[in-house]
């Protein structure tokens, strides 16, 4: 995989450099609530601009249905990028139309432009190779060189991720190089004990990575909504907690395989339960009680791990050499159910391990709960991409950059 430093050594002054970034940031009433992904790609964009490139930044945001939708405009992200760069950033109101062409044509050396949401064009996400390729052809007309730096999208076979690099000279940006280097430390170069913390709502989202980790991790700590399928598989009552009954056989098999392989699979021993899901808008005080994991009332729902489980998980992390964490272990968006996720984050901070926060909600939780990002070894920008890499899958965006 050719690197951006090699591109810079060849010289980029006056060249139109297309940077496929991941500016898919959360918005509330048009305001960015977490700019982590923009800050993550800033070094690549800044370096290219400093070297005199004419930088064209492209990204998706949300899931528009192949047509323009103001709710998913990249305008707020372009504005924030300009603030971080300390320079004006031009904004094209389409992807490959007249605005994009005129905006790119007007770029001076060392200047940056953002084009509108790639997913406003159906060709970006089309399953049909020809339709996707046609859109990639139009994107290629805007640029001379391609820099892939949108790690959060490399597991997607999309036009700007997979097809466009085949049409232009291409290199990996700083963010992708960093992400891949970190993931190698979780796969090929693991220091042990290797502890993995998995949370989130659905166990089905994590089946493939659990399957892979049962042959690689030393300890697997399970939390979040997915934990209740494991607890049910042990024969416990889980009340109205999140449950995927169709996965009970698979989960039982995993618990048996963990024991056979000598992998310590750790489940909650106590949980916070309530009969009402918390109000996440006003964050009004919740009505909850703490119960042992095998004593969840039939009319209650588990919403966070309890204090004994927090201590248990911390004790399983403290002596680790490598820790990967993906998925909050409770409804962290509400303060009454954030203590479990906060305890996991604090355990990572307190350990001497190489710690990786696997993107998505985990990365958002770290920032929302007020942790110093520098206290972790790495905070990934791509939860789904990280998991698929750990599963051993070939990621289309990385394969394209290696081609």
């Amino acid at each position: 995989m050719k690197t951006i430093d090699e591109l810079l050594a060849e010289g980029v002054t006056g060249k139109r450099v297309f940077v496929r970034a991941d500016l898919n940031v959360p918005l509330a009433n048009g305001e960015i609530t977490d700019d982590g992904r923009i800050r993550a790609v800033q070094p690549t964009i800044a370096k290219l601009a400093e070297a005199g490139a004419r930088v064209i930044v492209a990204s998706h945001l949300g899931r528009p249905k192949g047509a323009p939708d103001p709710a998913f405009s990249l305008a707020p992200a372009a504005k924030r990028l300009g603030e971080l760069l300390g320079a004006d950033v031009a904004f094209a109101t389409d992807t490959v139309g007249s605005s994009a062409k005129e905006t790119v044509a007007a770029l001076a050396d060392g200047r940056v432009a953002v084009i509108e949401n790639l997913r406003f064009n159906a060709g970006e996400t089309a399953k049909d190779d020809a339709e996707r390729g046609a859109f990639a052809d139009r994107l290629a007309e805007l640029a001379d060189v391609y820099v892939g730096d949108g790690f959060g999208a490399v597991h997607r076979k999309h036009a700007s991720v997979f097809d466009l690099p085949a049409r232009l000279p291409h290199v990996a940006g700083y963010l992708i190089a960093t992400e891949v280097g970190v993931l190698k430390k979780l796969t090929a170069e693991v220091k042990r004990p290797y502890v993995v913390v998995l949370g989130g709502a659905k166990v089905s989202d994590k089946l493939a990575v659990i399957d892979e980790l049962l042959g690689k991790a030393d300890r697997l700590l399970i939390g979040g909504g997915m934990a209740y399928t494991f607890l049910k598989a042990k024969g416990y009552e889980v009340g109205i907690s999140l449950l995927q009954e169709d996965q009970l056989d698979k989960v039982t098999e995993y618990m048996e395989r963990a024991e056979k392989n000598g992998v310590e699979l750790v489940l909650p021993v106590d949980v916070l339960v309530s009969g009402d899901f918390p109000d996440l808008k006003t964050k009004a005080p919740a009505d909850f009680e703490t119960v042992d994991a095998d004593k969840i009332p039939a009319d209650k729902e588990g919403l966070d791990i309890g204090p004994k489980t927090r201590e248990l998980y911390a004790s399983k992390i403290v002596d680790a050499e490598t820790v990967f964490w993906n998925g909050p272990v409770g409804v962290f968006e509400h303060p009454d159910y954030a203590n479990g996720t906060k305890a996991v984050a604090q355990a990572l901070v307190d350990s001497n391990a190489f710690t990786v926060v696997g993107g998505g909600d985990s990365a958002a939780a770290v920032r929302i709960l007020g942790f110093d990002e520098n206290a972790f070894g790495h905070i990934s920008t791509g939860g789904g991409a990280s998991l698929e890499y750990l599963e051993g899958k070939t990621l289309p965006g990385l394969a394209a950059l290696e081609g």
Side-chain angles (χ1 to χ4, degrees), residues 69-373:
D69 184 337
F72 298 108
S73 175
L74 279 173
K79 178 184 176 184
R80 181 59 181 147
L81 177 61
E83 293 170 352
L84 292 169
L85 292 172
D88 290 336
V89 169
F91 181 67
T93 56
D94 56 30
T95 55
V96 290
S98 58
S99 179
K101 291 175 182 177
E102 291 167 8
T103 301
V104 171
L107 274 179
D109 294 356
R111 308 301 291 182
V112 178
V114 173
I115 62 174
E116 186 55 285
N117 193 333
L118 291 162
R119 291 185 184 174
F120 284 1
N121 189 304
E124 169 67 1
T125 59
K127 289 186 168 62
D128 181 75
D129 290 348
E131 184 180 355
R132 226 178 37 249
F135 182 50
D137 287 339
R138 297 183 70 187
L139 289 172
E141 293 173 3
L142 299 175
D144 304 306
V145 183
Y146 177 93
V147 175
D149 217 26
F151 180 74
V154 294
H155 58 315
R156 306 295 187 192
K157 193 176 182 181
H158 291 171
S160 66
V161 176
F162 180 74
D163 302 273
L164 185 55
R167 289 157 168 77
L168 294 170
H170 50 269
V171 303
Y174 291 123
L175 175 59
I176 279 186
T178 298
E179 294 272 15
V180 171
V182 166
L183 288 168
K184 285 181 178 177
K185 292 183 179 180
L186 300 177
T187 51
E189 306 160 8
V190 184
K191 291 185 177 179
R192 299 184 182 278
Y194 178 22
V195 178
V196 177
V197 185
L198 293 178
K202 294 182 178 180
V203 68
S204 57
D205 293 340
K206 304 289 197 308
L207 285 176
V209 75
I210 293 172
D211 186 73
E212 187 71 17
L213 289 168
L214 286 174
K216 294 184 176 178
D218 298 299
R219 295 178 199 138
L220 196 52
L221 316 186
I222 305 293
M226 62 184 287
Y228 300 100
T229 301
F230 281 86
L231 294 174
K232 183 70 172 180
K234 287 174 67 72
Y236 296 170
E237 168 66 58
V238 297
I240 58 173
S241 305
L242 280 173
L243 174 64
Q244 290 186 280
E245 292 200 46
D246 60 332
Q247 302 298 337
L248 288 172
D249 288 345
K250 179 63 70 174
V251 163
T252 299
E253 176 200 328
Y254 284 167
M255 290 192 291
E256 291 171 352
R257 185 141 57 94
E259 185 174 1
K260 180 180 177 182
N261 291 354
V263 176
E264 193 177 357
L265 197 154
V266 186
L267 298 175
V269 294
D270 63 341
V271 295
L272 272 61
V273 299
S274 176
D276 295 307
F277 195 81
D279 185 335
L280 299 180
K281 288 187 177 180
T282 66
K283 295 182 172 53
D287 179 20
F288 65 87
E289 61 179 313
T290 303
V291 299
D292 289 342
D294 60 350
K295 293 181 174 61
I296 297 175
D299 61 345
K300 297 293 178 68
E301 177 179 12
L303 295 166
D304 195 11
I305 58 173
K308 289 188 287 189
T309 306
R310 291 174 223 152
E311 291 182 11
L312 173 64
Y313 285 10
S315 74
K316 300 297 182 182
I317 292 170
V318 67
D319 66 339
E321 288 291 331
T322 305
V323 184
F324 174 71
W325 171 33
N326 182 280
V329 297
V331 186
F332 75 92
E333 298 91 341
H334 191 285
D336 288 336
Y337 301 110
N339 288 323
T341 299
K342 191 180 295 184
V344 169
Q346 189 63 53
L348 265 67
V349 170
D350 292 342
S351 76
N352 291 318
F354 175 65
T355 56
V356 179
V357 180
D361 286 341
S362 312
V366 162
R367 298 184 183 106
I368 290 170
L369 296 175
F371 285 88
D372 181 356
E373 294 179 47

